[in-house]
Amino acid sequence: NAGVTQTPKFRILKIGQSMTLQCTQDMNHNYMYWYRQDPGMGLKLIYYSVGAGITDKGEVPNGYNVSRSTTEDFPLRLELAAPSQTSVYFCASSKQGNTEAFFGQGTRLTVV
Amino acid sequence: AQTVTQSQPEMSVQEAETVTLSCTYDTSESDYYLFWYKQPPSRQMILVIRQEAYKQQNATENRFSVNFQKAAKSFSLKISDSQLGDAAMYFCAREGGGATNKLIFGTGTLLAVQP
């Protein structure tokens, strides 16, 4: 079982460039999330979605955009990359009524 | 702001010994879930154990158990018979509210296991 799959695993961006972090899950979970993990700071919620067509901001949404056109996919878009967006990004999913979240392997992004 | 606090940035334990990782949190809700996640060097986030706040009995999963003190808003993790594979970063987390399963994480405790 694939679970939650994120691509790419690593990426280096130049300041001002754009990119999309891909996330897909094959568990038919209706809830999906994007977190970022900075050194010594734990994980912070960027955006989340409770179903296709529904997204909402988390704790640190500035500089990011998301969409949820299907149950399976929840891409995260960085429009104008900044050094402050250097981080490890995790996508996760869970099923309504079950609190366990399943995480992808993470994407290490460096903005230079 | 709703917070989760892990006051021990690093801990060390001898193999086969017991170690306790501390966590405190704040919340205004009466029913919620609490979690401990393990993050080994592979970066994968792995659920270790979870506790529902209205359940008085402390959760256990094999060598992992919690000491949940609801009034004190304390949720510590005890690892018994520590193994080398337990070495990892451990994150405490609580539900963020709104029935969406979003999580609020602490800053983590890095556990080293000495042979």
Side-chain angles (χ1 to χ4, degrees):
Chain A
N1 293 333
V4 179
T5 302
Q6 289 182 238
T7 55
K9 289 187 169 50
F10 303 92
R11 182 73 185 268
I12 298 175
L13 274 184
K14 294 185 177 179
I15 294 171
Q17 286 186 320
S18 301
M19 78 163 295
T20 299
L21 280 67
Q22 301 291 345
C23 175
T24 187
Q25 52 92 9
D26 62 357
M27 297 173 283
N28 200 32
H29 287 171
N30 43 348
Y31 295 166
M32 295 188 74
Y33 317 86
W34 276 105
Y35 293 90
R36 60 176 285 173
Q37 181 181 17
D38 299 322
M41 297 296 291
L43 282 74
K44 292 189 183 297
L45 183 65
I46 304 171
Y47 270 96
Y48 66 100
S49 169
V50 298
I54 306 169
T55 62
D56 208 346
K57 295 178 181 179
E59 187 179 358
V60 289
N62 291 343
Y64 307 95
N65 280 300
V66 294
S67 60
R68 185 98 182 269
S69 57
T70 66
T71 298
E72 295 78 20
D73 300 308
F74 190 42
L76 178 71
R77 178 85 178 159
L78 284 71
E79 289 294 347
L80 292 169
S84 61
Q85 294 177 306
T86 294
S87 189
V88 178
Y89 291 83
F90 286 95
C91 180
S93 72
S94 68
K95 187 174 181 179
Q96 184 177 8
N98 186 330
T99 57
E100 182 174 1
F102 294 80
F103 285 80
Q105 291 271 21
T107 297
R108 181 176 293 278
L109 175 67
T110 303
V111 181
V112 296
Chain B
Q2 299 178 359
T3 59
V4 175
T5 302
Q6 294 179 252
S7 58
Q8 306 152 316
E10 297 181 13
M11 294 280 286
S12 183
V13 63
Q14 292 291 128
E15 199 174 3
E17 297 293 310
T18 295
V19 65
T20 298
L21 309 184
S22 301
C23 174
T24 59
Y25 61 93
D26 64 22
T27 182
S28 57
E29 300 178 33
S30 59
D31 194 19
Y32 46 89
Y33 276 87
L34 297 163
F35 308 86
W36 279 97
Y37 277 88
K38 172 184 178 182
Q39 186 180 47
S42 68
R43 221 165 55 196
Q44 182 67 48
M45 294 288 287
I46 303 164
L47 179 63
V48 175
I49 198 166
R50 61 182 154 177
Q51 171 85 41
E52 187 167 5
Y54 86 84
K55 290 185 176 178
Q56 303 239 345
Q57 188 172 6
N58 289 327
T60 62
E61 289 286 344
N62 301 313
R63 297 182 295 106
F64 298 86
S65 61
V66 300
N67 183 4
F68 173 49
Q69 303 287 330
K70 189 173 184 180
K73 295 189 174 64
S74 170
F75 182 59
S76 60
L77 174 70
K78 185 172 82 171
I79 306 174
S80 304
D81 185 26
S82 297
Q83 301 175 359
L84 295 177
D86 295 334
M89 182 72 85
Y90 287 82
F91 290 99
C92 178
R94 63 165 282 261
E95 267 189 297
T100 58
N101 297 349
K102 57 188 178 185
L103 298 171
I104 299 171
F105 286 87
T107 52
T109 296
L110 182 62
L111 178 66
V113 180
Q114 308 299 332

